[in-house]
Each structure stands twice: as C-alpha cells, then as structure tokens.
Amino acid sequence: KQEVTQIPAALSVPEGENLVLNCSFTDSAIYNLQWFRQDPGKGLTSLLLIQSSQREQTSGRLNASLDKSSGRSTLYIAASQPGDSATYLCAVLNRDDKIIFGKGTRLHILP
Amino acid sequence: GAGVSQTPSNKVTEKGKYVELRCDPISGHTALYWYRQSLGQGPEFLIYFQGTGAADDSGLPNDRFFAVRPEGSVSTLKIQRTERGDSAVYLCASSLRGSDIQYFGAGTRLSVL
C-alpha cells in the first residue's frame, strides 16, 4: 500500500531564505508526482508535476526533483516571500489511477 | 466553466441528516474523483468514476456514503445519517483520462453539528 510522508510537518523561516521540503513514498510504481499548494480554507493549486520518467521540473522560484528509485522528491523554494506561506502537499499518482497525498508541510515565511 | 466547480462551498447540517454534495467537472473530462480532507491531514481518496461507472469505490468509509455520475459529467456525493466524524472538506477532481493531471475544485466544507 502506497504511503507518502512529508518532512517537516511545519517550518518557519525568515523571508529571503532558500528552503527545501521533503517527500518520500514507499511504492516506486507511479505515473507521476505532484506538488500542490493549499491556502487556509481553499482548494488545491498544482505547482509542479513530474512524470515518472523525469528527474525535475522548474517553475519560477520553485524546483521539484524526483528520484523514483529511492522514493524521494524535494521541493526547493528560492528567495522565500511572505506570500509563499501555505501548506504544501506532495502527492503521487499510482498505477491504479489513485492519487495518494502526504499530510503536508505547513510553511510560514516570517516577514 | 473553466474549472471544477463544487457546490455548496459550505454545508452545515445536524447529526443524522442526509446531505448531497455536487461536483461539476471540466467539460470533456471522463475521469472524476472524490477526496475527503480532515483537519491537518492530506486529502484521502474516496471514489473514482470513469464515465458513468465507479471504477474504484474502495475509499468510501462505509455504506452511508454513495456517489453517482448518471450522465458521465456532474457527480453527486451522498451521505446518509451524517455523523460528527463526517465533518471535513470534500474535494472533487477531474482529468481528461484516468492517468492525466487531476484538476481540483475548491471543495465543500461539511460541518455536522
């Protein structure tokens, strides 16, 4: 059974710092891995999607990597801003077409 | 519409009542998913439709939960005899096909008093 773990559960950093969020999964037979952002009381916004054949994806200040064989992904956020404060969810799309989510990392950027 | 639409955005009900939650997927998307997100947790899979049929309903917690998609577009999640533990945000997502990117709605926040 696929399990997705995110570390840390919460993180507070001063504005301007670079930071890394970690995600691990137990079953490497996935179609893709996705990082989402969720603001309080809101739905999910897809940030980056990495197909199983890819190693990384970049969008602006965000870079996500995927090491499928070791079951790990990282989300790198450069030059953090207060507007980056949110919960970041990692999710894998299994071969049975189900998305399995981690519990998320609550990020707080201190102005 | 341009995205996945869920109604209502908020629903407050009393224990024991029946509720229906609606999801309008992106036009042309054949796959539709329901997830439930409890406070402090990631979303958990409930049920997946491919067209009109439920391809996988293994995430439904018990027989009080049921979902339909009669015409392969709009879906309704139905909860009978609601319990306080059913309080959560119910998220809907759709994709063009089963293994494609899933686009999420804003969710329905259900509160059972």
Side-chain angles (χ1 to χ4, degrees):
Chain A
K1 178 186 173 186
Q2 180 74 271
E3 292 183 3
V4 179
T5 303
Q6 291 188 245
I7 294 174
L11 181 64
S12 293
V13 299
E15 179 179 2
E17 285 199 4
N18 304 325
L19 57 98
V20 175
L21 307 182
N22 296 291
C23 172
S24 62
F25 49 97
T26 54
D27 185 350
S28 62
I30 61 172
Y31 279 127
N32 59 53
L33 182 143
Q34 211 164 351
W35 283 92
F36 292 88
R37 171 185 172 136
Q38 187 173 35
D39 293 283
K42 305 290 186 183
L44 304 178
T45 301
S46 179
L47 297 173
L48 290 164
L49 180 144
I50 312 175
Q51 299 291 353
S52 63
S53 58
Q54 297 175 324
R55 298 283 293 183
E56 67 176 342
Q57 284 288 334
T58 298
S59 175
R61 295 182 292 109
L62 305 180
N63 175 276
S65 69
L66 174 63
D67 184 342
K68 200 173 71 159
S69 61
S70 67
R72 295 174 190 268
S73 175
T74 61
L75 178 66
Y76 176 83
I77 303 178
S80 58
Q81 302 171 357
D84 295 332
S85 297
T87 294
Y88 290 80
L89 292 161
C90 169
V92 296
L93 178 60
N94 277 354
R95 296 286 172 177
D96 60 4
D97 295 338
K98 285 190 238 185
I99 287 186
I100 307 297
F101 286 86
K103 291 185 178 182
T105 293
R106 293 185 309 281
L107 177 64
H108 185 207
I109 305 300
L110 304 168
Chain B
V4 178
S5 175
Q6 290 189 247
T7 54
S9 55
N10 283 282
K11 176 71 177 178
V12 180
T13 191
E14 294 178 346
K15 180 174 178 291
K17 299 290 188 184
Y18 168 82
V19 296
E20 289 189 352
L21 312 179
R22 177 186 167 108
C23 173
D24 276 275
I26 293 173
S27 178
H29 281 194
T30 63
L32 185 146
Y33 306 78
W34 284 98
Y35 297 85
R36 178 168 73 172
Q37 186 175 23
S38 301
L39 194 63
Q41 304 293 315
E44 293 180 327
F45 170 82
L46 295 177
I47 186 170
Y48 157 41
F49 286 90
Q50 185 60 248
T52 60
D56 186 337
D57 65 358
S58 62
L60 295 177
N62 51 59
D63 61 5
R64 295 187 296 105
F65 288 75
F66 189 70
V68 296
R69 194 186 186 200
E71 298 178 0
S73 178
V74 171
S75 176
T76 305
L77 179 65
K78 308 180 180 193
I79 310 174
Q80 298 177 321
R81 305 183 303 281
T82 52
E83 300 177 356
R84 292 195 178 88
D86 298 335
S87 297
V89 174
Y90 290 81
L91 293 164
C92 177
S94 71
S95 66
L96 194 57
R97 290 177 301 271
S99 58
D100 288 335
I101 296 173
Q102 295 184 19
Y103 296 87
F104 282 79
T108 294
R109 182 175 299 277
L110 176 66
S111 300
V112 182
L113 305 180

